[in-house]
Amino acid sequence: MDFSIKAFDTKNTLTAAKSGCIAVAVFENKKLSEAAKALDLNGEIAAAVKSGDISGKAGTTLLLRGVAGVSAARVLLVGMGADEAVSEKSFASAVTSALKTFATLGAQDAIIAFPVENVKERDLAWSVRSIVVAAADAEFRTDGQKSKKDPAPTGVRKLAIAVPQATPQVKAVLAQAQAIANGMGLTKELGNLSPNVCTPTYLANTAKKLGADYGFDIEVLDRKQLEALKMGSFLSVTRGSEEPPKFIVLKHNGGKKNEAPVVLIGKGITFDSGGISLKPGPGMDEMKYDMGGAGSVLGTFRAIGEMNLKLNVVGIVAACENMPSGRATKPGDIVTAMNGLTIEILNTDAEGRLVLADALTYAERFKPAAVVNVATLTGACIVALGHHNSGLFTRHDDIHNALADELMDAGKQAGDTAWRLPIGEQYNEQLKSNFADLANIGTPGGASCTAAAFLENFTRNYTWAHLDIAGTAWKSGASKGATGRPVPLLTTFLLNRV
Ligand code: BES
Ligand code: MN
Ligand code: ZN
């Protein structure tokens, strides 16, 4: 989809706009939005609404052709719900409906003239982003590995968003929205790829390509270098696999020379079989999504590269497979992490924390302003929060944690929400081992919290947050596929830091 921003005023009127279709809002109380009124020179729209052909309930639609005095071929009335102070949910379902109709029209271009400034507790940037992200999602296809491709998107290919004033700020908002949508596109594509294609090496090559496209510094460390760094925790996970591990570092130097960077770390398990603690068969294919954290770091880098964000950001992708074999790590094995802590691996399926442990230690060398790691870490996070919110953990020293607030706000702003969960001494107690400094699983209960508490042991030298995206990175069932989350949250968090 080709997006643009357009302002309409007394000179450039909506009625004179040449377009295949203009979508305007109507309400349940039979009231017309400002844009609908502006197009209703002959009272046809009011009459259509009055007739009951459209209820105005959020997401209902009515297509009118040849409205008197309107240059556009069609006017699409879209229900926006009860309230003229539009709710977020009504706006979203109106956008979805408009896009659905646009896809069926014999028109090439359209204008969305919705009350973008009247969404409750939201700003214009939110509305523009919701439209762009929804449109990109609607046309997203995962058919790269099908011999017969899915039908290409039809209907409207050029979409203008009507705004009160086309200020440079609003244009910047559109550019940011497109960058987020494109970043999500990369994250979805990587996630959906089969695990025999999307290997650690594939992720490394993707990073290199991003580096070439956007000028990031890229470094890929292989097994020998990881051994030299004494990453015994990370390397323990990769032992059973034939795929070589890749530790990928991306640097975007958009800020001042000496400004401390934000470091994003992604769990990049390109397939999690569980290892010797083998997972059950049904649904195991979905463990190709266990690189969702890594995918979201790469997607966020695409977004910040596209925006040329004025901030220093380091990305770390710790990529390997978790497989059983005669050489694989066994329950009971004790390994030494890069920071010297010894870990008793009681369950080889708790591997995400093992790769992250060494990545978190590695991050120290950047003297980071903040470190955020992103991981499909625990099934228990889905039990706790479902598929709505990512789990957010920060150090337990204070309920009023500034980094947690920043991430919560960014998620809310971006419509990609997180919710806080606790860590603390009690959870660390659960990780005690009789034979090593700590065990890689806790005693029963609070598995998301003990996983986060485990990570906290490797983050003592900087400000840190952990996002558990087990419930938000992909969807199961008939609409199985990666969501592109939490690219909107991460990108908005970084944008807010500029
Ligand atoms: N990648 C999984 C977590 C996961 C499972 C995410 C299902 C989404 C859906 C992770 O490596 C894992 O296996 N975690 C274990 C931890 C347990 C052994 C303490 C889990 O959640 O069962
Ligand atoms: Mn696992
Ligand atoms: Zn895993």
Side-chain angles (χ1 to χ4, degrees):
M1 193 78 78
D2 175 18
F3 297 101
S4 61
I5 288 278
K6 267 211 188 93
F8 294 97
D9 50 31
T10 45
K11 265 211 237 119
N12 300 304
T13 60
L14 207 52
T15 40
K18 293 212 169 23
S19 174
C21 184
I22 306 179
V24 294
V26 299
F27 298 97
E28 274 177 57
N29 56 13
K30 300 200 189 300
K31 271 209 182 137
L32 309 188
S33 64
E34 290 305 315
K37 278 184 212 155
L39 293 181
D40 200 22
L41 303 178
N42 260 4
E44 290 164 75
I45 296 177
V49 169
K50 216 166 171 199
S51 74
D53 288 352
I54 178 165
S55 70
K57 278 200 172 45
T60 53
T61 55
L62 180 65
L63 187 67
L64 306 176
R65 290 188 57 97
V67 175
V70 175
S71 302
R74 306 164 188 81
V75 172
L76 178 67
L77 306 183
V78 185
M80 197 56 85
D83 209 340
E84 277 157 78
V86 177
S87 80
E88 198 179 309
K89 207 170 153 222
S90 297
F91 190 85
S93 75
V95 168
T96 308
S97 290
L99 292 169
K100 257 193 199 139
T101 306
F102 289 164
T104 67
L105 297 179
Q108 290 296 306
D109 63 334
I111 300 170
I112 285 196
F114 282 174
V116 286
E117 289 205 314
N118 289 340
V119 183
K120 259 181 258 171
E121 291 169 39
R122 294 297 183 187
D123 57 7
L124 182 69
W126 180 88
S127 304
V128 169
R129 197 171 37 227
S130 332
I131 294 169
V132 170
V133 168
D137 199 55
E139 67 178 1
F140 182 79
R141 298 283 182 281
T142 302
D143 56 9
Q145 295 183 284
K146 291 181 180 170
S147 62
K148 198 164 164 258
K149 303 298 167 209
D150 294 342
T154 54
V156 167
R157 309 307 312 141
K158 280 167 102 176
L159 186 60
I161 302 168
V163 296
Q165 279 182 311
T167 58
Q169 289 90 319
V170 176
K171 296 224 161 114
V173 159
L174 177 67
Q176 289 164 7
Q178 284 178 286
I180 289 172
N182 291 338
M184 292 172 81
L186 175 62
T187 304
K188 288 191 260 189
E189 186 188 313
L190 291 171
N192 290 342
L193 269 176
S194 66
N196 59 332
V197 171
C198 186
T199 58
T201 305
Y202 189 94
L203 291 179
N205 290 339
T206 303
K208 285 180 193 158
K209 188 157 181 308
L210 285 173
D213 287 350
Y214 301 109
F216 307 136
D217 295 335
I218 306 289
E219 211 182 338
V220 178
L221 309 184
D222 55 25
R223 190 189 299 273
K224 273 223 170 73
Q225 290 160 293
L226 303 177
E227 280 165 2
L229 285 164
K230 299 194 182 330
M231 288 199 183
S233 186
F234 177 34
L235 288 167
S236 74
V237 177
T238 190
R239 280 186 65 86
S241 169
E242 300 289 325
E243 288 292 338
K246 300 287 170 186
F247 191 92
I248 307 158
V249 184
L250 307 91
K251 283 188 200 142
H252 169 71
N253 304 311
K256 293 197 196 77
K257 229 189 154 79
N258 294 318
E259 183 188 274
V262 173
V263 179
L264 303 179
I265 302 179
K267 170 179 172 184
I269 302 295
T270 59
F271 190 74
D272 180 12
S273 70
I276 296 297
S277 312
L278 194 65
K279 285 182 181 295
M284 205 207 270
D285 65 290
E286 294 192 9
M287 280 298 112
K288 70 176 182 179
Y289 290 116
D290 212 18
M291 39 55 71
S296 75
V297 170
L298 294 173
T300 301
F301 263 75
R302 171 157 182 195
I304 64 178
E306 233 178 87
M307 296 186 290
N308 194 14
L309 194 74
K310 300 276 173 276
L311 195 73
N312 294 334
V313 187
V314 175
I316 299 177
V317 167
C320 70
E321 271 184 349
N322 185 23
M323 297 290 276
S325 93
R327 293 169 41 83
T329 295
K330 305 167 287 298
D333 282 0
I334 293 177
V335 299
T336 306
M338 186 181 175
N339 73 346
L341 284 178
T342 60
I343 304 164
E344 185 183 19
I345 299 174
L346 292 174
N347 189 321
T348 64
D349 198 11
E351 85 297 339
R353 62 198 78 182
L354 296 174
V355 306
L356 290 172
D358 286 338
L360 287 163
T361 301
Y362 188 86
E364 284 178 10
R365 68 187 54 207
F366 302 112
K367 303 195 166 38
V371 175
V372 181
N373 74 253
V374 194
T376 49
L377 203 63
T378 59
C381 197
I382 311 175
V383 178
L385 299 173
H387 301 284
H388 314 293
N389 290 289
S390 301
L392 170 60
F393 300 82
T394 51
R395 218 180 309 288
H396 49 280
D397 49 5
D398 199 344
I399 271 186
H400 306 288
N401 182 292
L403 182 59
D405 288 350
E406 264 185 88
L407 290 162
M408 285 288 289
D409 288 347
K412 178 109 214 248
Q413 239 176 297
D416 178 11
T417 50
W419 205 259
R420 287 185 73 183
L421 292 168
I423 53 179
E425 253 338 288
Q426 308 96 316
Y427 297 103
N428 254 322
E429 286 291 317
Q430 287 181 243
L431 291 166
K432 281 209 166 135
S433 158
N434 285 356
F435 309 111
D437 297 337
L438 71 168
N440 81 325
I441 56 168
T443 50
S448 301
C449 302
T450 49
F454 180 94
L455 296 180
E456 198 261 343
N457 286 285
F458 302 86
T459 65
R460 300 268 162 88
N461 295 322
Y462 46 69
T463 308
W464 162 78
H466 154 53
L467 283 167
D468 193 332
I469 58 166
T472 52
W474 78 92
K475 286 183 198 155
S476 308
S479 55
K480 191 187 288 183
T483 60
R485 293 178 71 179
V487 170
L489 183 160
L490 292 172
T491 309
T492 305
F493 161 70
L494 295 173
L495 271 166
N496 290 347
R497 280 211 158 207
V498 174

